[in-house]
Amino acid sequence: MINFIKECRKEPEDLPASSFMLASRRRREVAMPRHRERFVIAVALFCAIYVVIGGRMAVWGAFPSDGGGYRYVPSQIMAARPDLLDRNGKVLATDIKTASLYAEPRRIVDADEAAELLLSVLPDLDPKTLHDRLSSKAGFAWLRRELTPRQQQEILKLGIPGIGFRTEKKRFYPGGPTAAHVVGLVNIDNQGIAGMEKYVDDAGYSALQSAGLAVDTDLKPVNLSLDLRVQHIVRDELAAAMQRYRSIAAGGVVLNVRTGEVLALASLPDYDPNNPVDALKKENLNRMSAGTFEMGSTFKTFTTAMALDSGLVKMTDSFDATKPIYIGGFRITDFHGKHRPLTVPEVFIYSSNIGSAKEAETVGIEGHKAFLTKMGLLTRMHTELPEVATPGQPKEWKLINSITISYGHGVMTTPLQTAVAAAALMNGGYLIPPTFLPRTEEQAAALAKQVVSKKTSDEMRYLFRLNVADDRGSGNLANIPGYKVGGKTGTANKVVGGKYSNTKKFNAFLSAFPIDNPQYVVLVVIDEPQPEPGKYYATAGMNAAPTVGAIIRRAAPLLKVKPDFGDSGKSLLVSY
Amino acid sequence: MASRADRGIVSEWWWTIDRWFLAAFLALMVAGVVLSFAASPPVAERIGLEPFHFVKRHAFFLIPAVVTMLGCSMLTPRGVRRAALVIFCVSLVMMVLTLFIGTEIKGSRRWFDLGALSIQPSEFMKPAFIILCAWLFAERARRPDIPGNFFSIILLFVVDALLVAQPDLGQTLLITATWGGLFFMAGMPWLWIAILAVLGVVGGASAYLVFPHVASRIDRFWTGEGDTFQTDTAREAIMRGGWLGQGPGEGTVKRLLPDSHTDFAFSVLAEEYGIIACMILASVFCFIVVRGLSIALGQRDPFSRLAVSGLVFLFGLQSIINMAVNLQLMPAKGMTLPFISYGGSSMIAVAVSAGFILALTRKRPENASQTDRLVQRTAAYHGA
């Protein structure tokens, strides 16, 4: 090192002297070439690299969206959802823009003042939490999502620094709870979590959303098969029935027998999807598709249809219902006991357990099981609605199971699939999977599967009508003039603590109208009804049947079913 | 300004300094402060400091930086060598010490804590190392009996070893490449250059094999798979800026960029001031390199020639690596943009480099071009 320093001391003496002496200069030029070409190479290389850099910038500037590595993370909060409409174009669910309030606590000058001012507009905020949030050192904190325009305006007027609004899309359900269980709901990030909202997500919308294509574009609305007017009537009548019969729950469905479209489906108690605080409460579940029940005597519809369709039983055949059946320590009796042999129609309208058991016995256990499977009553139903329960059946079918199942105990099904199976008995024998989306008869015909013969279907229509029109039938209260209602009641004892309760009932009325050419199946279930004041019984004929009647009376004109009052009706109109 | 007849230090300095260089360096310094208003506040906010913490510090460091630059530019070539020797020895000792008592930040020991401020000795080592190597090559070229080449290779190994030990592969790459540039400019035979190039490739390959983070960065660059958040965000920032930028303070993507005030300051510049501003910045760096090399070519003294070339190489390479990483032309590598990125040590060290460049490019009698041309004409006239 010391040598080097000495070296550099020597140097300056050489330089000035040599620079004026041509000879020494020339010698040194030879000894120390400048390597001009290397400077040229270096300059060229550097310039080339800077040109590449400039070029890259020019390309990025000219084609800003080009390139695979460029990611755009869509804000799901801002993502739009398609509107849900009913079959007539009435809005069931839509997006509205709302403002959400946030704070940037670090920018807040005076947290005490800010908290006080905000509380004057949003008094329901917790003062302590609010103050803690505002005085924290965080960069961002939500204060309140989804404000009303009035609240936003008032907060703007306060002029607090360090707070701001973010526009969010909020899902709004104009009908409130009317179609809550079918339409479903979304979470705060606008993702469908129940009902048809979830179906829309699962059917590809969420893929669209995460691909960033669902932002601010006008998405095509999705029409549902529901008719909002009928839906409202069903829910309204169910609510009235719940109150009148003091039941814990009620449910109803209106199904088009030719297309499988669900026109209305309601289950009470329900919730308001605009404020879904109790959407997840157990009693608010959709009983019609997500609840399974022993359907009781309405199941005799299927037992009778099975017996008739098997060819082993004719309408004119009789079954001895004189004595109860004793099997495996159980005694099976009739509620409306006649203690005499009953014909097939009598078994149906008197709702004879003994008769039904004997019908099932005629077909046999395997045949019974096969028939119910064919009707789709033992397997999970496939439809758009995500909330669908799987039916329950005995692990092993013995005679006692077949006998109890013949009158609706021992198999648990969802009310909706019961209605779907009944529709097959009404429409000439075609089982059509239910749908919540519009479907034409042609589309339905492609999906339909013949499960019983036309003859059986005709006979079942006769029996349905008989049960309502005949004075002896259990469904008289559903007889609405002009609409030719037919149906079957069912009053099942509920299982409480592993035993059949005598007081807790699950009532149903399974009906179709107009019975000479059925268009709609209407099923109403009433869970744990009490007798009306002044009446002793709370059987299905006393509550479910009149509820169905009320629904049909109000909804039939909207469903474009032409009333037929027969000859007397015509004369009445003329003379009026 | 001072009269030309005045031979005092200041007027002498003013009339001999290369004003283009001076203007370019001062422009970069000012640009750095303006840009720090855009790039630093989000980082300061993120780590819980007041928003203008880094802006203030950046502006504060500007004062010693300007003083250092001007002070260094007053030196004679001999003074530059002496200063370089002192700086080199001190920073080398400190680099050794950092390995034992340095502060470990993000897995590397690069920082030397001196109470209030921490120093990154390797930043100061770079210009000093370049000056010393230029001198060794120059001496060797003038007197073949001096083993200048050999010494400079030894110096390179020592410096590289210390940098790899920290580890700081970016600086290792930079210093080795600059040394290679010097070696090339010193007019070494092509065979040696080829041999050293092969050695460089071997070194790069072994870094790929030995250091998993190097391998993963290079893999990510080639395949585009894995965590490319930083570079992708940088790209998004540049594209959002477009030609004219979003406007000062209007950048939003910059808030997502983890190193927006240092390694990715260029992207923030693009987002807020636009690609045209970035091009101007790049052209300032390009101008410094080209002007440096062309002045170097005119230098009669081989030491000045090599030293100026080496220093502008350092400048140019550093800016190129930084910009290329921001533009996804290179695997991600932390490299500050001279004078623009935030960093006290880095700024003072860059000011030292700039001061050395200014000092070595000052007009000196022996480089007087008129005399030069006269001498050449005379020689031609005499038929030499």
Side-chain angles (χ1 to χ4, degrees), chain B residues 238-278:
Chain B
I238 296 171
M239 288 189 170
R240 241 183 73 85
W243 292 108
L244 297 172
Q246 295 282 325
E250 296 295 316
T252 50
V253 184
K254 67 174 185 182
R255 293 178 181 277
L256 304 173
L257 265 175
D259 286 326
S260 63
H261 64 319
T262 54
D263 302 345
F264 286 96
F266 189 72
S267 300
V268 178
L269 175 73
E271 190 184 10
E272 298 209 342
Y273 298 94
I275 286 173
I276 291 176
C278 286

Side-chain angles (χ1 to χ4, degrees), chain A residues 4 25-26 32 38 50 64, chain B residues 135 188 239 300 302 319 384:
Chain A
F4 293 162
R25 261 200 63 79
R26 285 184 59 201
M32 298 185 54
R38 300 217 172 174
Y50 279 111
Chain B
W135 178 46
M188 298 301 166
M239 288 189 170
R300 185 150 294 154
S319 71

Side-chain angles (χ1 to χ4, degrees), chain A residues 312-334:
Chain A
L312 300 171
V313 175
K314 294 194 291 295
M315 283 288 265
T316 47
D317 287 350
S318 295
F319 294 93
D320 183 14
T322 328
K323 290 192 285 278
I325 299 175
Y326 294 93
I327 181 165
F330 292 99
R331 179 167 163 270
I332 291 157
T333 57
D334 283 353

Side-chain angles (χ1 to χ4, degrees), chain A residues 4 7-9 11 25-26 32-35 38-39 46 50 54 56-57 61 64 66-67 70 106, chain B residues 45 81-82 135 142-143 184-185 187-188 235 239 243 275 278-279 297 300 302 313 319 327 329 384:
Chain A
F4 293 162
E7 284 290 337
C8 69
R9 278 206 185 119
E11 189 190 36
R25 261 200 63 79
R26 285 184 59 201
M32 298 185 54
R34 290 193 177 195
H35 301 292
R38 300 217 172 174
F39 278 89
F46 268 99
Y50 279 111
R56 181 64 168 248
M57 281 194 272
D66 156 73
Y70 183 62
R106 268 195 224 132
Chain B
E45 272 181 43
R81 277 196 296 271
R82 287 181 179 173
W135 178 46
R142 199 161 60 182
R143 289 177 205 158
F184 173 78
M185 299 306 283
M188 298 301 166
R235 178 179 179 158
M239 288 189 170
W243 292 108
I275 286 173
C278 286
M279 286 178 162
L297 182 61
R300 185 150 294 154
F313 273 1
S319 71
L327 292 167
L329 293 166

Side-chain angles (χ1 to χ4, degrees), chain A residues 403-420:
Chain A
I403 286 171
T404 60
I405 288 165
S406 76
Y407 57 86
H409 287 86
V411 160
M412 314 229 331
T413 61
T414 65
L416 179 58
Q417 73 193 128
T418 310
V420 170

Side-chain angles (χ1 to χ4, degrees), chain A residues 1 3-5 7-12 14-16 19-20 22 25-26 28-29 31-43 46-47 49-50 52-73 104 106-107, chain B residues 45-46 78 81-82 85 135-136 139 141-143 146 151 184-188 190 193 229 232 235-236 238-239 243 255 266 275 278-279 282 285-286 289-290 293 296-302 305 309 313 316-317 319-320 323-324 326-329 372 375 384:
Chain A
M1 281 294 174
N3 275 337
F4 293 162
I5 294 166
E7 284 290 337
C8 69
R9 278 206 185 119
K10 271 186 216 159
E11 189 190 36
D14 296 353
L15 273 172
S19 62
F20 295 102
L22 189 61
R25 261 200 63 79
R26 285 184 59 201
R28 281 189 57 182
E29 289 236 321
M32 298 185 54
R34 290 193 177 195
H35 301 292
R36 174 180 279 271
E37 77 288 350
R38 300 217 172 174
F39 278 89
V40 172
I41 291 172
V43 168
F46 268 99
C47 286
I49 295 172
Y50 279 111
V52 168
I53 285 172
R56 181 64 168 248
M57 281 194 272
V59 169
W60 283 13
F63 310 104
S65 57
D66 156 73
Y70 183 62
R71 295 171 310 168
Y72 178 70
V73 183
E104 292 176 278
R106 268 195 224 132
R107 290 171 191 254
Chain B
E45 272 181 43
R46 207 177 303 135
R78 182 158 44 137
R81 277 196 296 271
R82 287 181 179 173
L85 189 60
W135 178 46
L136 288 168
E139 285 302 303
R142 199 161 60 182
R143 289 177 205 158
I146 294 175
F151 275 122
F184 173 78
M185 299 306 283
M188 298 301 166
W190 285 100
I193 290 168
F229 176 76
D232 283 347
R235 178 179 179 158
E236 199 182 327
I238 296 171
M239 288 189 170
W243 292 108
R255 293 178 181 277
F266 189 72
I275 286 173
C278 286
M279 286 178 162
F285 283 109
C286 185
V289 172
V290 172
L293 287 175
L297 182 61
Q299 294 284 320
R300 185 150 294 154
D301 170 21
R305 199 156 67 216
S309 310
F313 273 1
L317 278 175
S319 71
I320 282 172
M323 288 189 281
N326 275 274
L327 292 167
Q328 289 188 352
L329 293 166
D372 226 14
V375 166

Side-chain angles (χ1 to χ4, degrees), chain A residues 249-330:
Chain A
V253 59
V254 178
L255 184 75
N256 185 323
V257 299
R258 294 183 191 143
T259 61
E261 291 169 290
V262 176
L263 273 294
L265 184 145
S267 170
L268 291 173
D270 55 13
Y271 56 90
D272 184 352
N274 292 314
N275 182 23
V277 280
D278 40 26
L280 291 177
K281 276 193 195 157
K282 202 164 163 250
E283 65 265 28
N284 287 350
L285 100 161
N286 181 359
R287 280 157 215 267
M288 299 305 285
S289 69
T292 58
F293 303 95
E294 293 181 318
M295 291 302 292
S297 304
T298 44
F299 243 61
K300 287 172 189 156
T301 311
F302 306 111
T303 312
T304 311
M306 169 182 73
L308 294 170
D309 199 54
S310 68
L312 300 171
V313 175
K314 294 194 291 295
M315 283 288 265
T316 47
D317 287 350
S318 295
F319 294 93
D320 183 14
T322 328
K323 290 192 285 278
I325 299 175
Y326 294 93
I327 181 165
F330 292 99

